[in-house]
Amino acid sequence: MKNIRILIFSLCSVLSLTLAAQTVNQEEIFQNIEAYTQQVIKEWQIPGLALSIVKDDQIIYAKGFGEKELGNGNPVDEHTAFQIGSVSKSFTALLMAMLVDEGKVDWDDPVKKHLPDFEMFDPWVSDNLLIKDIMIHRTGLPYQSGTYIPCLGYERDDVYKMFKLIKPATSLRTSYDYNNVTFIIAAKIIEKYMGKPWEMCIQERIFNPLGMLESSLNEEGFASSANVSVPHSFEYEHGGIVCEPLHGTEDQALHWLTVIGPAGGLVSSVVDMAAWVRFHLSDGNFNGQQILSPKNLSYLHRGQLITSQYDNRMTLYGHCWYIEQNNRYKVFFHTGTTWGFAALCVYLPELNLGMMFLANSEVPDLPRYAIMRRLIDLYLGAPDKDYSGESLAGWLAREEANEEKAQAKESETITIDPAPLAAYTGTYRKEVLGQAAISLEQNGLFITIGPKSWKAPLTHKNGNDFTFYMGGSNFPVHFEMDNNQNAISIDIDMGQDEHFGAWTKI
């Protein structure tokens, strides 16, 4: 009897969702979501945004809002290209699923079986890390470890060799710790068995069959796009949001896009991404062509581990999709954030509904989710709720508190002068990472680092601590001094408080 009640409840839930979807007025939905999107843009000061909606295997709405670059008056439209950030991960996961379909790999295969030279910090992990582990963020690596290394000019192969230097935060498969660079491992496996660079595999196996003609890859694709949006910063300062264009050519910021490509390098429009949403609402078939078996598409959509749990909802992580089950609906989604861009891809199989959001500033997840939840409510016939206004008030309060704490800490800091600048000069070396040279020029200290020998000025912070800006990110540097106050080594924070140890002076 209990099983019958559960079945009846499930059928009623599906029926109620279907009936709600049948009774809504599309034009009223469009008017409502447009007005709400404009509200979100104003509240979060987003320069430009594009939105597309998919329903019943059709693109029913696609529109651009605002400007490609703040103040230039050039409008965003539905064909404008944006960086989609970590939504790119699901494309790499699809390529891996294709290899599983072809019998070339299995989700439970050890990585070492396919990449014999693969090394992690712990040799046991090197031997036992599975293919499925690398894309569901349970490798044991610290949160976002390695993400900012490409900002120093390193390439994918360089990062691949650095895995053995990254100390784990937890044991293998014990926690969910989001990571980008592990997708370089996935790309290497894909390239080995597809016989082509990851970029060509994406183009030939996904872009072409899905008709994604406005999509491209990496720095080259972004730089060559004709109808493209400019990235913008997003900062909290003195009670408000500050947003400015970022061009990035002066500090090589777009190099990161190429190196991190398999995890975040796709460039696309909301029209093209609507095709991606349509594919994931199918059984692996797109316009009559079977792209992936229903079995492996279902596997990509299967929750593998819990990322959050509350009284009214639980979120799982599948192969590059979050799956939220709440007390009203089940939604699949993934965000994306790069240097100056934000994205959100969404689909609900029960409603045969999907959405793509692209913005040209690094707005947090909150305004993206606000539009997502408003759209879902509209199709469920639920009353309007101002998710954006509620979340903005909380965000502003938190940022104000953080700013006050930072100012208080700074005011309590005892200022210490640096040693004579010549004491810091020299060449420093670290295993795998190579050399970093500190030079003294007329206008101060400079660091030259990485395989491309990029150069940046050092800014003094306090005592023997400096920072430099390169590739779109700031890197703190600490000099270790001998008794004569001459530098003997440096420690570089690679982002997320990640240290590979001393670079020794040679």
Side-chain angles (χ1 to χ4, degrees), residues 399-506:
E399 290 300 311
E400 182 180 13
N402 290 337
E403 185 178 66
E404 289 174 355
K405 288 179 183 178
Q407 290 171 348
K409 183 178 179 180
E410 185 177 353
S411 67
E412 294 171 359
T413 301
I414 299 173
T415 303
I416 302 173
D417 292 333
L421 296 185
Y424 300 108
T425 61
T427 301
Y428 302 80
R429 183 167 182 80
K430 175 64 182 174
E431 177 194 8
V432 179
L433 295 168
Q435 295 185 170
I438 308 297
S439 58
L440 178 58
E441 302 181 13
Q442 286 185 345
N443 50 347
L445 290 173
F446 284 78
I447 184 169
T448 302
I449 191 171
K452 296 181 180 295
S453 296
W454 288 348
K455 187 176 182 179
L458 284 175
T459 300
H460 181 249
K461 299 301 289 184
N462 199 28
N464 296 315
D465 293 325
F466 294 75
T467 64
F468 68 95
Y469 183 81
M470 186 175 286
S473 291
N474 282 299
F475 294 90
V477 181
H478 173 73
F479 288 85
E480 190 68 27
M481 313 297 281
D482 63 15
N483 292 334
N484 296 319
Q485 287 301 296
N486 289 310
I488 55 176
S489 67
I490 59 174
D491 180 282
I492 301 175
D493 183 345
M494 294 288 188
Q496 301 297 328
D497 197 29
E498 182 173 62
H499 305 263
F500 289 151
W503 298 56
T504 306
K505 195 171 187 177
I506 58 175

Side-chain angles (χ1 to χ4, degrees), residues 54 59 210-212 270-280 286:
V54 168
I59 304 175
L210 296 188
M212 297 178 68
V270 293
V271 168
D272 265 17
M273 288 303 297
W276 185 238
V277 171
R278 287 177 56 208
F279 166 74
H280 280 279
F286 188 83

Side-chain angles (χ1 to χ4, degrees), residues 314-381:
M314 178 187 293
T315 303
L316 308 177
Y317 197 81
H319 273 71
C320 309
W321 294 106
Y322 292 97
I323 306 111
E324 178 192 304
Q325 178 69 67
N326 60 46
N327 54 7
R328 295 195 298 139
Y329 52 80
K330 182 179 183 180
V331 57
F332 295 76
F333 65 93
H334 208 290
T335 56
T337 304
T338 58
W339 189 77
F341 287 99
L344 175 64
C345 187
V346 179
Y347 53 94
L348 295 86
E350 289 176 316
L351 290 177
N352 206 5
L353 172 71
M355 181 195 90
M356 189 68 205
F357 167 109
L358 291 169
N360 61 5
S361 77
E362 291 185 50
V363 292
D365 296 344
L366 299 171
R368 313 178 219 182
Y369 293 151
I371 293 175
M372 174 188 84
R373 296 196 188 281
R374 170 63 72 94
L375 179 67
I376 297 170
D377 284 353
L378 288 169
Y379 273 94
L380 292 178

Side-chain angles (χ1 to χ4, degrees), residues 36 39-40 43-44 370 385-394:
Y36 195 58
Q39 175 187 327
V40 170
E43 289 177 340
W44 294 89
K385 181 177 179 180
D386 186 9
Y387 297 98
S388 175
E390 291 179 3
S391 60
L392 178 61

